[in-house]
Amino acid sequence: GTKDIQDWLDSKHVRRRDKKPISSLTKKHYAVIVGGMMQYAIRQKYILLNPVRPLTERGSDIVKQDQKLPEILPVNAVEQIMAKAQNQYPELIPVLAIGFFAGVRVGELMQLDWNCVNLSEARITISPSIAKTRSVRHITVQPNLMQWLAPYIRPSGLIAPTKRQFRFRLNKVLKKAKVTHWPFNVMRHCFASYLFAQIQDAAKVAFELGHRDQKMLF
């Protein structure tokens, strides 16, 4: 019933390691997906009522919860991370640069191939096969990102090392840079915040991020 689904949503965590609960917005997304399955079950006459509906209606706990602001790093922390990575693990530079200066999600970065990076046209293509939304999006290569990537560009091959290698080397870099807090998808959130502060154009920033609308950006 509805309570069982609510308990299941409350038990979900971003990562098992830190037991951080998913946000209310993510809970709503899960509820919408499960609700669609329940609607199918109603059409097939397996059930009579959709137990998810009370959770997605206005006034429900999921809908009315305030969203927390995404956490970002100060500019000087990003400078330190890039500098330490360049000295210690230069193979991380393309991953970090695309994360901080193009806003690509970590999950997408781990699968991104160099053949999707076109510096001559100043464009990075996130293909549907790796995109979170399963739809293609094109990201403008900003001038600073162009300079960071130019020395590392290759015709093909994965941009990132394996997930385990990336995390191990990143932890070393963060320690050297004296950065003790690394929120989930922080590079993407930094990109969104910095670009909006620079150009003051919410529609363009939302487009670069692949958001459906400006509401999601804010």
Side-chain angles (χ1 to χ4, degrees), residues 67-72 183-186 189-190 193 216-218:
Q67 295 297 312
K68 293 182 179 179
L69 285 174
E71 296 179 81
I72 67 171
F184 183 68
N185 261 333
V186 67
H189 298 155
C190 284
S193 300
M216 183 175 287
L217 167 67
F218 287 110

Side-chain angles (χ1 to χ4, degrees), residues 92 95-96 110 161-170:
L92 295 187
V95 187
L96 295 173
M110 294 296 103
T162 66
K163 189 173 182 180
R164 180 174 293 182
Q165 289 174 334
F166 172 70
R167 191 68 220 189
F168 175 80
R169 295 168 191 176
L170 175 62

Side-chain angles (χ1 to χ4, degrees), residues 5-20:
I5 295 171
Q6 179 70 70
D7 291 343
W8 175 73
L9 291 170
D10 290 341
S11 71
K12 300 293 288 180
H13 296 91
V14 175
R15 289 172 293 198
R16 292 181 181 179
R17 184 177 66 255
D18 57 15
K19 295 295 182 180
K20 180 181 178 182

Side-chain angles (χ1 to χ4, degrees), residues 95-108:
V95 187
L96 295 173
I98 293 174
F100 279 125
F101 309 132
V104 177
R105 297 178 180 90
V106 173
E108 297 166 342

Side-chain angles (χ1 to χ4, degrees), residues 4 20 62 78 88 93 111 116 132 157 167 197 208 218:
D4 295 320
K20 180 181 178 182
I62 291 178
V78 176
Q88 191 171 10
I93 287 295
Q111 304 173 75
C116 296
K132 178 183 177 182
R167 191 68 220 189
E208 295 290 341
F218 287 110

